[in-house]
Amino acid sequence: MTDRTAPGGGAPPGRAATDGVAGRLRGRTDLASLPLLLAIWAALAWIADDRLLPGPGAVGAELVELALRGPLLADFARTLARVAIAFAVAMALGTAIGVALGRWRAADGLFSAWVVIGLNIPALVTAIACYIWIGLTETALIVAVVINKTPLVATTMREGVRALSPDYAELAAAYRMGPARRLRLIALPQLMPYLLTAARTGLSLIWKIVLVFEVLGSDGGVGFRFGIFFGFFDMTAILAYTLAFVAVVLTVEYGAMRPLERRVLGWRAARG
């Protein structure tokens, strides 16, 4: 049988060159994605020629105006603060609950139905209930988001704990590792893919839920401003806020999540 590996144990030269070309093409495709979206948007706005579908130029000018002289920056500051607090609390609670359910079958049997109920209760019901019980306050909004998103994180982390390899646990026992070293060297590397998945999924949903809850009841924020713009059918302002929101989301994804993923899970690519 012909050996298809390189002399140094890595990929053969032909495969490495192919991977390099594919990577460069993928990078160029990523760069072309947003300009293509803007071009399609501009074409549709030109064809429609309607005030309800403004083009990128009008929306960009409105965005600058709202950022310099309007409430855009203050609204985004309030919404991002709410998202950050709700995300941190939901991740902490969900991770703790998921680890407990994955580790102890008795706890999973007792509380798994609670998790299913939490996953399927509509966010709107949670928001209304919290607003009625706590009032139209910042605390009610954050509590509603945490209640809505914690079960999702718990479910993901439970599956991660269940997938832990017993072979590594035996290896840790053979080397007489303490609990701290077991957690750092054995458990965390295996759990990180699940933790990152829970973080990315939870964050993408928390963005949306916070905006909906702000529309229902808040005294500021991006969702609150959307409600006002909707009342005036101000599509240009709605798209301007949406454009700013997309910029924030892309910054978080490409500036934080993906570099963190490459750094934490780089060992998997190196091993492959």
Side-chain angles (χ1 to χ4, degrees):
M1 182 179 293
T2 304
D3 186 6
R4 296 182 180 273
T5 59
R15 180 180 173 185
T18 302
D19 291 344
V21 172
R24 287 193 295 271
L25 289 176
R26 186 165 55 247
R28 292 175 183 176
T29 304
D30 291 344
L31 291 176
S33 177
L34 290 179
L36 176 61
L37 179 61
L38 289 175
I40 294 173
W41 176 12
L44 291 175
W46 180 77
I47 294 171
D49 192 20
D50 192 286
R51 67 179 183 84
L52 296 181
L53 185 57
V59 173
E62 181 73 7
L63 175 61
V64 173
E65 180 68 20
L66 289 171
L68 295 178
R69 300 180 180 84
L72 186 142
L73 297 180
D75 286 338
F76 268 86
R78 299 195 72 168
T79 296
L80 290 175
R82 291 163 178 163
V83 168
I85 295 171
F87 175 75
V89 176
M91 284 298 297
L93 285 177
T95 300
I97 294 171
V99 169
L101 296 181
R103 188 172 179 84
W104 294 292
R105 291 190 175 273
D108 185 39
L110 183 61
F111 296 109
S112 61
W114 294 25
V115 175
V116 173
I117 292 171
L119 285 170
N120 290 280
I121 289 180
L124 185 62
V125 174
T126 307
I128 292 174
C130 287
Y131 281 143
I132 291 175
W133 290 334
I134 304 175
L136 295 175
T137 63
E138 197 89 1
T139 301
L141 190 153
I142 292 173
V143 168
V145 177
V146 170
I147 291 174
N148 195 258
K149 291 308 146 200
T150 296
L152 176 65
V153 179
T155 301
T156 305
M157 294 309 298
R158 178 182 62 186
E159 298 307 314
V161 172
R162 287 177 176 176
L164 290 176
S165 173
D167 295 336
Y168 289 116
E170 293 177 4
L171 180 65
Y175 281 94
R176 297 181 181 179
M177 292 184 179
R181 293 195 68 195
R182 288 192 183 195
L183 177 64
R184 181 171 60 87
L185 299 177
I186 303 297
L188 278 181
Q190 297 180 75
L191 289 176
M192 282 309 299
Y194 297 91
L195 190 62
L196 289 174
T197 298
R200 177 177 277 114
T201 307
L203 186 58
S204 66
L205 292 175
I206 285 174
W207 284 119
K208 304 167 188 176
I209 297 300
V210 167
L211 262 63
V212 173
F213 290 0
E214 286 178 343
V215 172
L216 290 176
S218 70
D219 57 352
V222 176
F224 170 78
R225 200 65 56 185
F226 275 142
I228 295 176
F229 294 148
F230 172 73
F232 289 98
F233 292 95
D234 191 349
M235 198 63 197
T236 304
I238 290 175
L239 289 178
Y241 264 65
T242 303
L243 200 61
F245 184 78
V246 168
V248 172
V249 170
L250 291 178
T251 299
V252 172
E253 173 67 20
Y254 288 95
M257 296 301 297
R258 293 203 180 188
L260 178 62
E261 187 176 37
R262 286 195 297 268
R263 180 174 181 178
V264 173
L265 302 181
W267 61 273
R268 302 175 76 185
R271 189 179 65 177

